[in-house]
Amino acid sequence: DAKTTQPPSMDCAEGRAANLPCNHSTISGNEYVYWYRQIHSQGPQYIIHGLKNNETNEMASLIITEDRKSSTLILPHATLRDTAVYYCIVRVVNTGKLIFGQGTTLQVKP
Amino acid sequence: SQTIHQWPATLVQPVGSPLSLECTVEGTSNPNLYWYRQAAGRGLQLLFYSVGIGQISSEVPQNLSASRPQDRQFILSSKKLLLSDSGFYLCAWRSNRGLNTEAFFGQGTRLTVV
């Protein structure tokens, strides 16, 4: 299973863009990159996923490098409610397993 | 719309007692189902996943077992709980239609073994 590496923690000022990096240098050609977040004591919430093109939805944007070895999740205007642990995951295609790493704890500060 | 139900929300059990956590999914058929555990301050560890009735794959050796008696029912069990079984248990489902569907998680069961 391809592994991901994320910084353990990051801070962001409220109203500013939060850019969360993720390295997945061993990703295979047919493996997707998924992002989830977990607010304390709740189940993880799906944010966005992509294969090789950049993606955007109402929550965030996902930028994947051309070689697919890293990606960045962008929260364009972070709010205090975006404080959470953010997980970058590479999904195993044949089983659909989601293998979580340690994630990045994002602290949005006023 | 699809929903996932997990219960109970919290549970306190003595060491050596049995465990049964239930997860059900509504609004879909033949989903992929998953059990995760999250120890305090740690990330999510995949325990079991199932791609169909009676089909269970175990990811890590442990004191727990899983069963899928019906298409949309996933049960996590133990015959004798250990202190180390304490944690936050999460059930998730994913549609098996297509390669890039996202997974949806239940709200979890916080188990404390005393």
Side-chain angles (χ1 to χ4, degrees):
Chain A
D1 300 340
K3 296 188 184 298
T4 62
T5 304
Q6 299 176 254
S9 63
M10 291 182 63
D11 289 342
C12 178
E14 187 179 17
R16 305 297 292 269
N19 298 283
L20 292 91
C22 178
N23 287 324
H24 31 79
S25 58
T26 60
I27 192 170
S28 299
N30 61 350
E31 290 180 320
Y32 286 77
V33 179
Y34 281 75
W35 283 84
Y36 285 77
R37 72 180 182 184
Q38 186 177 25
I39 297 171
H40 182 63
S41 296
Q42 297 182 21
Q45 176 190 23
Y46 165 79
I47 301 173
I48 199 168
H49 72 278
L51 182 63
K52 55 183 178 180
N53 296 322
N54 297 339
E55 303 287 345
T56 296
N57 62 21
E58 65 278 5
M59 290 183 67
S61 295
L62 175 61
I63 308 299
I64 302 175
T65 57
E66 191 170 345
D67 62 8
R68 301 207 329 121
K69 293 185 177 181
S70 65
S71 60
T72 301
L73 178 75
I74 301 173
L75 307 178
H77 305 287
T79 70
L80 298 178
R81 288 178 295 180
D82 291 322
T83 292
V85 179
Y86 287 78
Y87 295 99
C88 168
I89 301 154
V90 172
R91 190 172 77 78
V92 179
V93 174
N94 58 345
T95 64
K97 293 191 293 184
L98 286 172
I99 307 298
F100 285 76
Q102 293 304 305
T104 295
T105 299
L106 175 67
Q107 182 71 47
V108 180
K109 298 184 175 180
Chain B
S1 64
Q2 301 89 1
T3 55
I4 181 169
H5 301 281
Q6 218 185 309
W7 66 91
T10 59
L11 190 60
V12 179
Q13 292 283 101
V15 169
S17 64
L19 173 73
S20 180
L21 301 181
E22 187 164 344
C23 171
T24 60
V25 181
E26 296 177 356
T28 188
S29 59
N30 198 28
N32 288 356
L33 296 171
Y34 308 86
W35 277 111
Y36 287 84
R37 176 172 61 199
Q38 187 172 34
R42 305 289 296 275
L44 283 79
Q45 180 186 35
L46 179 62
L47 301 177
F48 301 96
Y49 69 95
S50 171
V51 298
I53 296 175
Q55 300 180 57
I56 309 294
S57 295
S58 175
E59 286 296 294
V60 293
Q62 58 203 301
N63 183 43
L64 302 167
S65 62
S67 61
R68 185 171 177 174
Q70 300 180 41
D71 181 44
R72 291 168 290 174
Q73 184 185 32
F74 206 22
I75 298 173
L76 184 69
S77 304
S78 173
K79 293 182 179 178
K80 289 185 178 182
L81 283 169
L82 306 172
L83 288 174
S84 58
D85 292 323
S86 293
F88 189 43
Y89 288 83
L90 288 153
C91 179
W93 76 273
R94 187 184 70 83
S95 172
N96 66 358
R97 299 174 184 174
L99 298 175
N100 62 345
T101 55
E102 63 268 32
F104 297 93
F105 286 79
Q107 288 304 300
T109 295
R110 189 161 302 281
L111 171 67
T112 303
V113 182
V114 296

Short mmCIF file of all heavy atoms in Angstrom, two decimals, chain B residues 32-89:
data_model
loop_
_atom_site.label_atom_id
_atom_site.label_comp_id
_atom_site.label_asym_id
_atom_site.label_seq_id
_atom_site.Cartn_x
_atom_site.Cartn_y
_atom_site.Cartn_z
N ASN B 32 -19.06 -1.93 0.30
CA ASN B 32 -17.86 -2.34 1.01
C ASN B 32 -17.98 -1.78 2.43
O ASN B 32 -18.36 -0.61 2.61
CB ASN B 32 -16.61 -1.80 0.34
CG ASN B 32 -16.31 -2.49 -0.97
OD1 ASN B 32 -16.99 -3.44 -1.36
ND2 ASN B 32 -15.30 -2.01 -1.67
N LEU B 33 -17.65 -2.59 3.42
CA LEU B 33 -17.78 -2.17 4.81
C LEU B 33 -16.46 -2.29 5.54
O LEU B 33 -15.66 -3.19 5.25
CB LEU B 33 -18.85 -3.02 5.52
CG LEU B 33 -20.27 -2.89 4.97
CD1 LEU B 33 -21.19 -3.93 5.60
CD2 LEU B 33 -20.81 -1.49 5.23
N TYR B 34 -16.23 -1.39 6.49
CA TYR B 34 -14.95 -1.29 7.16
C TYR B 34 -15.15 -1.05 8.66
O TYR B 34 -16.07 -0.35 9.07
CB TYR B 34 -14.13 -0.12 6.60
CG TYR B 34 -13.98 -0.13 5.10
CD1 TYR B 34 -14.96 0.45 4.28
CD2 TYR B 34 -12.87 -0.70 4.49
CE1 TYR B 34 -14.83 0.44 2.90
CE2 TYR B 34 -12.73 -0.71 3.11
CZ TYR B 34 -13.71 -0.13 2.32
OH TYR B 34 -13.59 -0.14 0.96
N TRP B 35 -14.25 -1.64 9.46
CA TRP B 35 -14.13 -1.30 10.88
C TRP B 35 -12.74 -0.73 11.11
O TRP B 35 -11.74 -1.33 10.73
CB TRP B 35 -14.31 -2.52 11.78
CG TRP B 35 -15.72 -2.90 12.08
CD1 TRP B 35 -16.40 -4.00 11.66
CD2 TRP B 35 -16.66 -2.17 12.90
NE1 TRP B 35 -17.67 -4.00 12.15
CE2 TRP B 35 -17.86 -2.89 12.93
CE3 TRP B 35 -16.58 -0.98 13.63
CZ2 TRP B 35 -18.99 -2.47 13.63
CZ3 TRP B 35 -17.69 -0.55 14.32
CH2 TRP B 35 -18.88 -1.29 14.32
N TYR B 36 -12.73 0.44 11.78
CA TYR B 36 -11.48 1.08 12.17
C TYR B 36 -11.47 1.25 13.68
O TYR B 36 -12.51 1.36 14.32
CB TYR B 36 -11.36 2.47 11.54
CG TYR B 36 -11.07 2.50 10.06
CD1 TYR B 36 -12.10 2.39 9.13
CD2 TYR B 36 -9.77 2.65 9.59
CE1 TYR B 36 -11.83 2.43 7.77
CE2 TYR B 36 -9.50 2.69 8.23
CZ TYR B 36 -10.53 2.58 7.33
OH TYR B 36 -10.26 2.61 5.99
N ARG B 37 -10.26 1.35 14.22
CA ARG B 37 -10.10 1.68 15.63
C ARG B 37 -9.13 2.85 15.74
O ARG B 37 -8.13 2.91 15.02
CB ARG B 37 -9.57 0.51 16.45
CG ARG B 37 -9.30 0.88 17.93
CD ARG B 37 -8.96 -0.35 18.74
NE ARG B 37 -7.78 -1.02 18.28
CZ ARG B 37 -7.47 -2.27 18.57
NH1 ARG B 37 -8.27 -2.97 19.36
NH2 ARG B 37 -6.37 -2.81 18.11
N GLN B 38 -9.41 3.73 16.69
CA GLN B 38 -8.55 4.87 16.94
C GLN B 38 -8.26 4.91 18.43
O GLN B 38 -9.14 5.17 19.24
CB GLN B 38 -9.22 6.17 16.49
CG GLN B 38 -8.33 7.38 16.56
CD GLN B 38 -8.99 8.59 15.92
OE1 GLN B 38 -10.20 8.76 15.98
NE2 GLN B 38 -8.19 9.44 15.29
N ALA B 39 -7.00 4.61 18.77
CA ALA B 39 -6.59 4.73 20.17
C ALA B 39 -6.44 6.21 20.50
O ALA B 39 -6.28 7.05 19.60
CB ALA B 39 -5.29 3.98 20.39
N ALA B 40 -6.46 6.53 21.77
CA ALA B 40 -6.39 7.92 22.22
C ALA B 40 -5.15 8.62 21.63
O ALA B 40 -4.03 8.13 21.78
CB ALA B 40 -6.36 7.99 23.74
N GLY B 41 -5.38 9.74 20.95
CA GLY B 41 -4.28 10.51 20.41
C GLY B 41 -3.58 9.88 19.21
O GLY B 41 -2.51 10.35 18.82
N ARG B 42 -4.18 8.88 18.65
CA ARG B 42 -3.54 8.18 17.53
C ARG B 42 -4.39 8.28 16.26
O ARG B 42 -5.53 8.76 16.30
CB ARG B 42 -3.34 6.70 17.89
CG ARG B 42 -2.59 6.46 19.18
CD ARG B 42 -1.12 6.82 19.04
NE ARG B 42 -0.44 5.99 18.08
CZ ARG B 42 0.07 4.80 18.36
NH1 ARG B 42 -0.04 4.30 19.58
NH2 ARG B 42 0.70 4.10 17.44
N GLY B 43 -3.83 7.79 15.16
CA GLY B 43 -4.56 7.77 13.89
C GLY B 43 -5.50 6.59 13.81
O GLY B 43 -5.61 5.78 14.74
N LEU B 44 -6.18 6.46 12.70
CA LEU B 44 -7.15 5.38 12.50
C LEU B 44 -6.45 4.14 11.97
O LEU B 44 -5.70 4.20 11.00
CB LEU B 44 -8.23 5.80 11.51
CG LEU B 44 -9.31 6.72 12.03
CD1 LEU B 44 -8.84 8.15 12.10
CD2 LEU B 44 -10.56 6.61 11.17
N GLN B 45 -6.74 3.02 12.59
CA GLN B 45 -6.18 1.75 12.17
C GLN B 45 -7.27 0.88 11.58
O GLN B 45 -8.29 0.63 12.23
CB GLN B 45 -5.54 1.05 13.38
CG GLN B 45 -4.92 -0.31 13.05
CD GLN B 45 -4.43 -1.03 14.27
OE1 GLN B 45 -5.01 -0.95 15.35
NE2 GLN B 45 -3.31 -1.73 14.13
N LEU B 46 -7.07 0.43 10.36
CA LEU B 46 -8.05 -0.45 9.73
C LEU B 46 -7.98 -1.83 10.36
O LEU B 46 -6.92 -2.44 10.42
CB LEU B 46 -7.78 -0.56 8.22
CG LEU B 46 -8.70 -1.46 7.43
CD1 LEU B 46 -10.15 -0.97 7.50
CD2 LEU B 46 -8.25 -1.55 5.98
N LEU B 47 -9.12 -2.32 10.86
CA LEU B 47 -9.19 -3.62 11.52
C LEU B 47 -9.70 -4.70 10.56
O LEU B 47 -9.09 -5.75 10.42
CB LEU B 47 -10.11 -3.56 12.74
CG LEU B 47 -9.75 -2.56 13.83
CD1 LEU B 47 -10.82 -2.58 14.92
CD2 LEU B 47 -8.39 -2.87 14.40
N PHE B 48 -10.84 -4.45 9.95
CA PHE B 48 -11.48 -5.42 9.07
C PHE B 48 -12.14 -4.69 7.90
O PHE B 48 -12.55 -3.55 8.03
CB PHE B 48 -12.59 -6.20 9.80
CG PHE B 48 -12.12 -6.97 11.00
CD1 PHE B 48 -12.23 -6.41 12.27
CD2 PHE B 48 -11.60 -8.24 10.87
CE1 PHE B 48 -11.82 -7.10 13.39
CE2 PHE B 48 -11.18 -8.95 11.98
CZ PHE B 48 -11.28 -8.37 13.24
N TYR B 49 -12.24 -5.39 6.78
CA TYR B 49 -13.07 -4.88 5.71
C TYR B 49 -13.77 -6.05 5.04
O TYR B 49 -13.31 -7.19 5.10
CB TYR B 49 -12.29 -4.03 4.71
CG TYR B 49 -11.31 -4.77 3.85
CD1 TYR B 49 -11.66 -5.21 2.58
CD2 TYR B 49 -10.01 -5.00 4.30
CE1 TYR B 49 -10.75 -5.87 1.78
CE2 TYR B 49 -9.10 -5.67 3.51
CZ TYR B 49 -9.46 -6.09 2.25
OH TYR B 49 -8.56 -6.75 1.47
N SER B 50 -14.90 -5.73 4.40
CA SER B 50 -15.74 -6.77 3.80
C SER B 50 -16.27 -6.27 2.46
O SER B 50 -16.80 -5.17 2.37
CB SER B 50 -16.89 -7.12 4.73
OG SER B 50 -17.82 -7.96 4.08
N VAL B 51 -16.15 -7.12 1.45
CA VAL B 51 -16.67 -6.75 0.14
C VAL B 51 -17.98 -7.47 -0.17
O VAL B 51 -18.56 -7.27 -1.24
CB VAL B 51 -15.63 -7.03 -0.97
CG1 VAL B 51 -14.38 -6.19 -0.74
CG2 VAL B 51 -15.28 -8.51 -1.02
N GLY B 52 -18.46 -8.32 0.77
CA GLY B 52 -19.72 -9.00 0.54
C GLY B 52 -20.12 -9.82 1.75
O GLY B 52 -19.33 -9.99 2.70
N ILE B 53 -21.34 -10.35 1.73
CA ILE B 53 -21.84 -11.16 2.85
C ILE B 53 -20.89 -12.32 3.12
O ILE B 53 -20.51 -13.05 2.20
CB ILE B 53 -23.24 -11.70 2.55
CG1 ILE B 53 -24.24 -10.54 2.41
CG2 ILE B 53 -23.71 -12.65 3.66
CD1 ILE B 53 -25.62 -10.99 1.99
N GLY B 54 -20.53 -12.47 4.39
CA GLY B 54 -19.68 -13.58 4.79
C GLY B 54 -18.21 -13.44 4.40
O GLY B 54 -17.40 -14.31 4.72
N GLN B 55 -17.85 -12.36 3.73
CA GLN B 55 -16.46 -12.15 3.30
C GLN B 55 -15.81 -11.12 4.20
O GLN B 55 -16.19 -9.94 4.16
CB GLN B 55 -16.41 -11.68 1.84
CG GLN B 55 -17.02 -12.66 0.86
CD GLN B 55 -16.94 -12.13 -0.56
OE1 GLN B 55 -15.87 -11.83 -1.06
NE2 GLN B 55 -18.08 -12.00 -1.21
N ILE B 56 -14.86 -11.57 5.01
CA ILE B 56 -14.20 -10.69 5.97
C ILE B 56 -12.69 -10.80 5.77
O ILE B 56 -12.15 -11.91 5.72
CB ILE B 56 -14.52 -11.08 7.42
CG1 ILE B 56 -16.04 -11.20 7.63
CG2 ILE B 56 -13.89 -10.08 8.39
CD1 ILE B 56 -16.78 -9.90 7.49
N SER B 57 -12.04 -9.67 5.68
CA SER B 57 -10.58 -9.64 5.64
C SER B 57 -10.07 -8.91 6.87
O SER B 57 -10.57 -7.84 7.22
CB SER B 57 -10.09 -8.91 4.38
OG SER B 57 -10.46 -9.61 3.22
N SER B 58 -9.12 -9.55 7.54
CA SER B 58 -8.56 -8.97 8.76
C SER B 58 -7.22 -8.32 8.44
O SER B 58 -6.39 -8.91 7.74
CB SER B 58 -8.35 -10.07 9.81
OG SER B 58 -7.70 -9.55 10.95
N GLU B 59 -7.05 -7.12 8.92
CA GLU B 59 -5.84 -6.38 8.62
C GLU B 59 -4.74 -6.60 9.65
O GLU B 59 -3.56 -6.54 9.33
CB GLU B 59 -6.15 -4.88 8.54
CG GLU B 59 -6.90 -4.51 7.28
CD GLU B 59 -6.05 -4.77 6.04
OE1 GLU B 59 -5.02 -4.11 5.85
OE2 GLU B 59 -6.43 -5.67 5.25
N VAL B 60 -5.11 -6.77 10.91
CA VAL B 60 -4.11 -6.92 11.96
C VAL B 60 -4.55 -8.02 12.92
O VAL B 60 -5.74 -8.18 13.18
CB VAL B 60 -3.90 -5.59 12.73
CG1 VAL B 60 -3.28 -4.55 11.83
CG2 VAL B 60 -5.20 -5.08 13.31
N PRO B 61 -3.59 -8.80 13.44
CA PRO B 61 -3.96 -9.80 14.45
C PRO B 61 -4.40 -9.10 15.73
O PRO B 61 -3.83 -8.11 16.14
CB PRO B 61 -2.65 -10.56 14.66
CG PRO B 61 -1.57 -9.62 14.25
CD PRO B 61 -2.15 -8.78 13.15
N GLN B 62 -5.46 -9.65 16.33
CA GLN B 62 -5.99 -8.95 17.48
C GLN B 62 -7.00 -9.84 18.20
O GLN B 62 -7.26 -10.97 17.79
CB GLN B 62 -6.71 -7.69 16.99
CG GLN B 62 -7.81 -8.00 16.00
CD GLN B 62 -8.12 -6.79 15.14
OE1 GLN B 62 -8.46 -5.76 15.66
NE2 GLN B 62 -7.97 -6.94 13.83
N ASN B 63 -7.58 -9.25 19.21
CA ASN B 63 -8.54 -9.93 20.06
C ASN B 63 -9.96 -9.77 19.56
O ASN B 63 -10.91 -10.08 20.25
CB ASN B 63 -8.40 -9.34 21.48
CG ASN B 63 -9.29 -10.02 22.49
OD1 ASN B 63 -9.40 -11.24 22.50
ND2 ASN B 63 -9.96 -9.24 23.33
N LEU B 64 -10.14 -9.27 18.36
CA LEU B 64 -11.47 -8.96 17.86
C LEU B 64 -11.78 -9.79 16.62
O LEU B 64 -10.87 -10.30 15.95
CB LEU B 64 -11.54 -7.47 17.49
CG LEU B 64 -11.24 -6.48 18.60
CD1 LEU B 64 -11.04 -5.09 18.03
CD2 LEU B 64 -12.36 -6.48 19.63
N SER B 65 -13.06 -9.90 16.31
CA SER B 65 -13.49 -10.55 15.08
C SER B 65 -14.62 -9.75 14.48
O SER B 65 -15.23 -8.90 15.15
CB SER B 65 -13.95 -11.99 15.36
OG SER B 65 -15.07 -11.97 16.24
N ALA B 66 -14.89 -9.98 13.21
CA ALA B 66 -15.97 -9.26 12.53
C ALA B 66 -16.81 -10.26 11.76
O ALA B 66 -16.33 -11.32 11.35
CB ALA B 66 -15.40 -8.20 11.59
N SER B 67 -18.07 -9.90 11.58
CA SER B 67 -18.97 -10.74 10.80
C SER B 67 -19.91 -9.86 10.00
O SER B 67 -20.17 -8.71 10.37
CB SER B 67 -19.78 -11.68 11.71
OG SER B 67 -20.59 -10.94 12.62
N ARG B 68 -20.37 -10.41 8.90
CA ARG B 68 -21.32 -9.68 8.04
C ARG B 68 -22.46 -10.65 7.72
O ARG B 68 -22.46 -11.30 6.67
CB ARG B 68 -20.63 -9.21 6.77
CG ARG B 68 -21.53 -8.35 5.89
CD ARG B 68 -20.73 -7.72 4.76
NE ARG B 68 -21.57 -6.96 3.86
CZ ARG B 68 -21.10 -6.21 2.86
NH1 ARG B 68 -19.79 -6.14 2.65
NH2 ARG B 68 -21.93 -5.55 2.08
N PRO B 69 -23.42 -10.76 8.63
CA PRO B 69 -24.51 -11.71 8.44
C PRO B 69 -25.52 -11.29 7.38
O PRO B 69 -26.19 -12.15 6.80
CB PRO B 69 -25.17 -11.77 9.82
CG PRO B 69 -24.83 -10.44 10.44
CD PRO B 69 -23.47 -10.09 9.92
N GLN B 70 -25.62 -10.00 7.14
CA GLN B 70 -26.51 -9.49 6.10
C GLN B 70 -25.76 -8.48 5.25
O GLN B 70 -24.70 -7.97 5.65
CB GLN B 70 -27.75 -8.84 6.74
CG GLN B 70 -28.58 -9.77 7.59
CD GLN B 70 -29.78 -9.06 8.19
OE1 GLN B 70 -30.43 -8.26 7.52
NE2 GLN B 70 -30.08 -9.35 9.44
N ASP B 71 -26.33 -8.16 4.11
CA ASP B 71 -25.63 -7.30 3.14
C ASP B 71 -25.21 -5.97 3.74
O ASP B 71 -24.12 -5.47 3.45
CB ASP B 71 -26.56 -7.07 1.94
CG ASP B 71 -25.90 -6.20 0.88
OD1 ASP B 71 -24.71 -6.45 0.58
OD2 ASP B 71 -26.56 -5.31 0.33
N ARG B 72 -26.07 -5.38 4.57
CA ARG B 72 -25.78 -4.04 5.06
C ARG B 72 -25.58 -4.01 6.57
O ARG B 72 -25.82 -3.01 7.22
CB ARG B 72 -26.93 -3.10 4.66
CG ARG B 72 -26.98 -2.84 3.16
CD ARG B 72 -28.27 -2.17 2.74
NE ARG B 72 -29.40 -3.07 2.86
CZ ARG B 72 -30.67 -2.71 2.67
NH1 ARG B 72 -30.95 -1.44 2.40
NH2 ARG B 72 -31.66 -3.57 2.79
N GLN B 73 -25.14 -5.12 7.13
CA GLN B 73 -24.89 -5.21 8.56
C GLN B 73 -23.48 -5.72 8.80
O GLN B 73 -23.07 -6.74 8.25
CB GLN B 73 -25.91 -6.16 9.21
CG GLN B 73 -25.81 -6.26 10.71
CD GLN B 73 -26.77 -7.30 11.27
OE1 GLN B 73 -27.07 -8.30 10.63
NE2 GLN B 73 -27.25 -7.06 12.48
N PHE B 74 -22.76 -5.01 9.66
CA PHE B 74 -21.37 -5.36 9.95
C PHE B 74 -21.22 -5.34 11.47
O PHE B 74 -21.57 -4.36 12.11
CB PHE B 74 -20.43 -4.35 9.30
CG PHE B 74 -19.06 -4.86 8.97
CD1 PHE B 74 -18.80 -6.21 8.82
CD2 PHE B 74 -18.01 -3.97 8.78
CE1 PHE B 74 -17.54 -6.67 8.49
CE2 PHE B 74 -16.74 -4.41 8.45
CZ PHE B 74 -16.51 -5.77 8.30
N ILE B 75 -20.71 -6.44 12.02
CA ILE B 75 -20.65 -6.57 13.48
C ILE B 75 -19.21 -6.80 13.91
O ILE B 75 -18.50 -7.60 13.32
CB ILE B 75 -21.55 -7.73 13.96
CG1 ILE B 75 -23.01 -7.43 13.60
CG2 ILE B 75 -21.40 -7.94 15.46
CD1 ILE B 75 -23.96 -8.58 13.86
N LEU B 76 -18.82 -6.10 14.95
CA LEU B 76 -17.50 -6.26 15.54
C LEU B 76 -17.67 -6.92 16.90
O LEU B 76 -18.49 -6.46 17.70
CB LEU B 76 -16.82 -4.90 15.70
CG LEU B 76 -15.38 -4.91 16.22
CD1 LEU B 76 -14.45 -5.50 15.16
CD2 LEU B 76 -14.94 -3.50 16.56
N SER B 77 -16.91 -7.98 17.15
CA SER B 77 -17.13 -8.76 18.37
C SER B 77 -15.82 -9.11 19.05
O SER B 77 -14.75 -9.09 18.45
CB SER B 77 -17.86 -10.07 18.03
OG SER B 77 -19.06 -9.84 17.36
N SER B 78 -15.99 -9.44 20.32
CA SER B 78 -14.89 -10.02 21.08
C SER B 78 -15.48 -10.96 22.12
O SER B 78 -16.53 -10.67 22.69
CB SER B 78 -14.07 -8.94 21.78
OG SER B 78 -13.11 -9.53 22.64
N LYS B 79 -14.80 -12.07 22.38
CA LYS B 79 -15.28 -12.99 23.41
C LYS B 79 -14.84 -12.53 24.79
O LYS B 79 -15.58 -12.68 25.77
CB LYS B 79 -14.75 -14.39 23.13
CG LYS B 79 -15.31 -15.02 21.88
CD LYS B 79 -14.79 -16.43 21.69
CE LYS B 79 -15.39 -17.05 20.43
NZ LYS B 79 -14.87 -18.43 20.19
N LYS B 80 -13.64 -11.96 24.88
CA LYS B 80 -13.12 -11.48 26.17
C LYS B 80 -12.31 -10.21 25.94
O LYS B 80 -11.23 -10.25 25.36
CB LYS B 80 -12.23 -12.54 26.82
CG LYS B 80 -12.95 -13.75 27.35
CD LYS B 80 -11.98 -14.69 28.07
CE LYS B 80 -12.73 -15.89 28.64
NZ LYS B 80 -11.79 -16.79 29.39
N LEU B 81 -12.82 -9.10 26.40
CA LEU B 81 -12.16 -7.83 26.18
C LEU B 81 -10.89 -7.69 27.01
O LEU B 81 -10.80 -8.17 28.15
CB LEU B 81 -13.10 -6.68 26.52
CG LEU B 81 -14.18 -6.36 25.50
CD1 LEU B 81 -15.19 -5.39 26.07
CD2 LEU B 81 -13.57 -5.83 24.21
N LEU B 82 -9.91 -7.00 26.43
CA LEU B 82 -8.67 -6.65 27.11
C LEU B 82 -8.65 -5.14 27.34
O LEU B 82 -9.34 -4.39 26.64
CB LEU B 82 -7.46 -7.05 26.25
CG LEU B 82 -7.39 -8.49 25.79
CD1 LEU B 82 -6.24 -8.66 24.80
CD2 LEU B 82 -7.23 -9.44 26.97
N LEU B 83 -7.83 -4.70 28.27
CA LEU B 83 -7.70 -3.26 28.49
C LEU B 83 -7.27 -2.54 27.21
O LEU B 83 -7.72 -1.43 26.92
CB LEU B 83 -6.69 -2.98 29.61
CG LEU B 83 -7.13 -3.30 31.02
CD1 LEU B 83 -5.96 -3.09 31.99
CD2 LEU B 83 -8.32 -2.46 31.45
N SER B 84 -6.42 -3.20 26.44
CA SER B 84 -5.89 -2.60 25.22
C SER B 84 -6.94 -2.48 24.11
O SER B 84 -6.66 -1.88 23.07
CB SER B 84 -4.70 -3.42 24.70
OG SER B 84 -5.10 -4.76 24.46
N ASP B 85 -8.12 -3.04 24.31
CA ASP B 85 -9.19 -2.90 23.33
C ASP B 85 -9.91 -1.56 23.44
O ASP B 85 -10.75 -1.22 22.60
CB ASP B 85 -10.21 -4.04 23.47
CG ASP B 85 -9.63 -5.38 23.07
OD1 ASP B 85 -8.83 -5.42 22.12
OD2 ASP B 85 -9.96 -6.39 23.72
N SER B 86 -9.60 -0.80 24.46
CA SER B 86 -10.22 0.52 24.60
C SER B 86 -9.87 1.39 23.40
O SER B 86 -8.77 1.33 22.87
CB SER B 86 -9.72 1.21 25.87
OG SER B 86 -10.17 0.54 27.02
N GLY B 87 -10.84 2.20 22.98
CA GLY B 87 -10.59 3.08 21.85
C GLY B 87 -11.87 3.56 21.22
O GLY B 87 -12.96 3.28 21.72
N PHE B 88 -11.72 4.27 20.14
CA PHE B 88 -12.84 4.82 19.39
C PHE B 88 -13.00 3.96 18.14
O PHE B 88 -12.09 3.90 17.31
CB PHE B 88 -12.52 6.28 19.04
CG PHE B 88 -13.65 7.06 18.46
CD1 PHE B 88 -14.93 6.97 18.98
CD2 PHE B 88 -13.44 7.92 17.40
CE1 PHE B 88 -15.98 7.70 18.46
CE2 PHE B 88 -14.49 8.67 16.87
CZ PHE B 88 -15.75 8.56 17.39
N TYR B 89 -14.13 3.29 18.01
CA TYR B 89 -14.36 2.35 16.91
C TYR B 89 -15.28 2.99 15.88
O TYR B 89 -16.36 3.48 16.21
CB TYR B 89 -14.96 1.05 17.43
CG TYR B 89 -13.96 0.23 18.20
CD1 TYR B 89 -13.71 0.47 19.55
CD2 TYR B 89 -13.23 -0.78 17.57
CE1 TYR B 89 -12.77 -0.26 20.24
CE2 TYR B 89 -12.29 -1.52 18.26
CZ TYR B 89 -12.07 -1.25 19.59
OH TYR B 89 -11.13 -1.98 20.28
#
